[in-house]
Amino acid sequence: MESALQAYLAEHRERHLEEVIDFVRIPSISASTEHKPDMTRAAEWLAEALRKAGLENVEVLPTAGHPVVYGDWLHAPGQPTALIYGHYDVQPADPLNQWDTPPFEPVIRDNKLYGRGATDDKAQLYTHVKTVEAFLQTSGKLPVNVKFCIEGEEEIASPSLPAFLQDQAERLKADAIVISDGPMHDEGIPSICYGLRGLCGFQLDIQGPKNDLHSGLYGGGVANPAIALVQLLSSMRANDGHITIEGFYDGVNELSEAERAAFRALHFDDAKQAKDLAVPELTGEEGFSFLERTTARPTLEINGIFGGYQGEGLKPIVPSTAGAKISCRLVDNQEPDQVMKRIEAHIEKHKPAGVTVKVQQTHRGKPFYISPEHPYIQAAARAYESGFGTAPVYIRSGGSIPIVEVFSRVLGAPVVMMDFGLPGENMHGPNEHFHLENFDKGIATLCQYWQELHAAAK
């Protein structure tokens, strides 16, 4: 990083941290109608921060829900345009009695900023704001063009953002979308996430007799919905972890040897993971490692089962109903609606006699994948090595962030996930915090990244 940028950031570091503290102090809880005024206040605060950083055309744009904050700087002709995405909303802080200090009275202890939203996503988002400020205050220009699109509904699954992206696609048009909203692989080990799993969730309801029946009088002569449920669920997975639904794996790419080598390079400790989880051993789809199973392979998991008598003691009945909640994590080119159709066909084919089965899809989200060899990903790797002093590892995430795929599809641009948080920072939990060392290194990395993109465009 150039000396002028370094000097500016060092001189203004305390002010920058004070600003982050002010930002975290706003209880911008999107899930709560009680905090709707705080959502507006956070959006306006962020808009003013963008203006002070030197961004232009800053607006607080309405959506069907909470507003989006927009700003841009577009004075680098011939250079790529990067759209920076983040969110200013936070999770509820409950349970409050488990916080060491009040969640919206942020404090710095041991070079860590404590407060709700510190790592998810306010401090990480603010690295981008301060990077822009540093360039504009030292040289009066940026190496690339930038746009900001900061929403207020990420913590409630971004219900208004897809329509907003469609409506504002021309304004938001970019060559790359850059997101900092998650954890790195580990402390001192930066990472680039190149894949996110999608999601297909559904509820299965099985109806038998019109009411619970005496198991002595009717047991063995009437279909038991709980037994039917177990039989149906069992038909969906083999003992080796393979999902037996016909066509389920359509769209799943085989892992390349390079990808598998990248997984092995992470030196994941299966025994330690099993011990930490208090299970005898790790299991799953045969032929794949734990990291591959949990990030690069599709799954079908039973999230909950219900039906019959749940009280104390035994109530000998044939229950009238039973059901389950199920989620499938998807990868590569799997389409959630197509997967759902194949699940429905499997249920129709395998449903036991004597019961009726109702299936309701509850969640859908497409997976995201970008080649680790993409030039913008390789530029991010060089930037991380400059900012953190070590090359990043390449990872996939087992979780789902459906809006990432929406950004890529609607705007037709690659998404580069450059995270600066850490796994143990209690994201969504009590005592959420952010390591301020990564605030500094994150800004240094981004300063280098914009210059790497500039160089890549030559």
Side-chain angles (χ1 to χ4, degrees):
M1 187 167 58
E2 296 175 5
S3 58
L5 288 170
Q6 290 175 322
Y8 179 85
L9 290 166
E11 179 184 353
H12 295 276
R13 183 177 188 269
E14 290 306 313
R15 174 175 62 83
H16 292 168
L17 293 183
E18 289 172 4
E19 292 171 4
V20 175
I21 288 172
D22 287 343
F23 193 17
V24 174
R25 189 173 284 120
I26 303 172
S28 46
I29 302 171
S30 54
S32 171
T33 55
E34 175 188 351
H35 287 281
K36 188 172 182 179
D38 296 312
M39 294 298 299
T40 301
R41 182 157 64 99
E44 295 289 356
W45 187 98
L46 183 58
E48 185 59 24
L50 295 183
R51 294 186 189 100
K52 289 178 179 177
L55 287 151
E56 302 170 343
N57 304 309
V58 176
E59 293 185 65
V60 177
L61 299 170
T63 73
H66 299 301
V68 167
V69 180
Y70 175 86
D72 62 36
W73 187 92
L74 305 174
H75 302 292
Q79 296 301 313
T81 297
L83 177 68
I84 299 160
Y85 164 79
H87 62 95
Y88 61 86
D89 65 321
V90 302
Q91 283 281 337
D94 309 79
L96 296 177
N97 64 350
Q98 293 185 18
W99 286 78
D100 295 334
T101 53
F104 297 107
E105 296 178 19
V107 296
I108 294 176
R109 298 195 306 270
D110 302 323
N111 204 31
K112 302 170 190 174
L113 173 62
Y114 284 81
R116 173 56 86 227
T119 189
D120 183 22
D121 174 41
K122 290 182 175 179
Q124 294 202 63
L125 166 62
Y126 217 59
T127 60
H128 289 274
V129 180
K130 296 298 102 175
T131 298
V132 168
E133 177 189 300
F135 272 109
L136 295 180
Q137 291 299 319
T138 55
S139 65
K141 61 182 180 180
L142 288 162
V144 296
N145 303 293
V146 298
K147 299 176 180 180
F148 279 77
C149 175
I150 315 301
E151 70 156 319
E153 297 183 344
E154 194 274 346
E155 300 293 5
I156 53 173
S158 305
S160 305
L161 195 58
F164 178 85
L165 294 181
Q166 293 281 359
D167 293 342
Q168 300 289 331
E170 187 60 33
R171 186 201 293 240
L172 300 174
K173 186 177 179 181
D175 298 294
I177 297 129
V178 181
I179 301 175
S180 301
D181 185 25
M184 306 190 310
H185 180 65
D186 206 347
E187 189 169 358
I189 306 177
S191 54
I192 296 176
C193 180
Y194 64 94
L196 296 164
R197 293 199 289 188
L199 182 64
C200 175
F202 63 98
Q203 180 164 321
L204 191 59
D205 290 287
I206 297 184
Q207 177 70 52
K210 63 181 180 180
N211 50 258
D212 293 349
L213 301 175
H214 190 293
S215 65
L217 299 178
Y218 295 95
V222 177
N224 184 314
I227 294 175
L229 175 66
V230 171
Q231 292 172 336
L232 192 51
L233 294 177
S234 180
S235 74
M236 296 180 183
R237 255 175 72 159
N239 290 337
D240 63 0
H242 184 83
I243 297 164
T244 54
I245 295 166
E246 185 176 351
F248 184 86
Y249 290 96
D250 290 355
V252 179
N253 301 327
E254 291 297 321
L255 288 172
S256 68
E257 181 50 40
E259 285 182 298
R260 304 199 83 165
F263 278 111
R264 290 193 294 271
L266 297 176
H267 302 296
F268 185 82
D269 190 335
D270 284 39
K272 181 179 184 300
Q273 180 70 85
K275 183 178 180 181
D276 290 345
L277 297 174
V279 296
E281 60 185 315
L282 302 178
T283 65
E285 187 180 8
E286 286 187 4
F288 297 94
S289 69
F290 176 83
L291 286 182
E292 290 168 344
R293 293 169 186 157
T294 56
T295 64
R297 295 294 294 171
T299 64
L300 186 148
E301 296 292 337
I302 300 169
N303 310 130
I305 294 179
F306 48 91
Y309 177 66
Q310 303 294 322
E312 184 177 359
L314 175 67
K315 184 181 181 183
I317 59 169
V318 174
S320 64
T321 62
K325 297 177 185 291
I326 300 166
S327 64
C328 301
R329 299 288 175 168
L330 312 179
V331 300
D332 301 329
N333 299 308
Q334 286 182 297
E335 291 277 345
D337 289 344
Q338 286 296 322
V339 169
M340 193 68 237
K341 288 180 181 178
R342 291 177 177 121
I343 291 170
E344 290 171 342
H346 178 94
I347 290 171
E348 182 63 28
K349 180 178 179 180
H350 292 273
K351 69 179 180 181
V355 296
T356 57
V357 180
K358 178 183 176 183
V359 185
Q360 179 184 6
Q361 186 173 3
T362 56
H363 294 78
R364 58 170 59 81
K366 294 184 179 181
F368 169 79
Y369 175 87
I370 183 171
S371 169
E373 300 304 317
H374 192 286
Y376 289 171
I377 295 291
Q378 290 300 304
R382 294 190 294 273
Y384 267 121
E385 188 159 8
S386 173
F388 281 80
T390 186
V393 295
Y394 294 91
I395 63 173
R396 291 195 188 202
S397 171
S400 303
I401 312 177
I403 202 62
V404 171
E405 185 277 335
V406 176
F407 263 107
S408 180
R409 173 167 44 84
V410 173
L411 301 183
V415 177
V416 182
M417 287 175 274
M418 300 183 69
D419 298 324
F420 304 120
L422 290 176
E425 290 179 333
N426 292 352
M427 182 183 295
H428 292 197
N431 300 310
E432 179 182 350
H433 58 280
F434 182 73
H435 286 64
L436 295 180
E437 178 185 12
N438 286 353
F439 185 74
D440 302 324
K441 289 183 176 180
I443 294 174
T445 299
L446 292 171
C447 285
Q448 184 65 30
Y449 186 56
W450 303 137
Q451 295 178 85
E452 293 286 348
L453 288 190
H454 173 85
K458 292 181 179 178

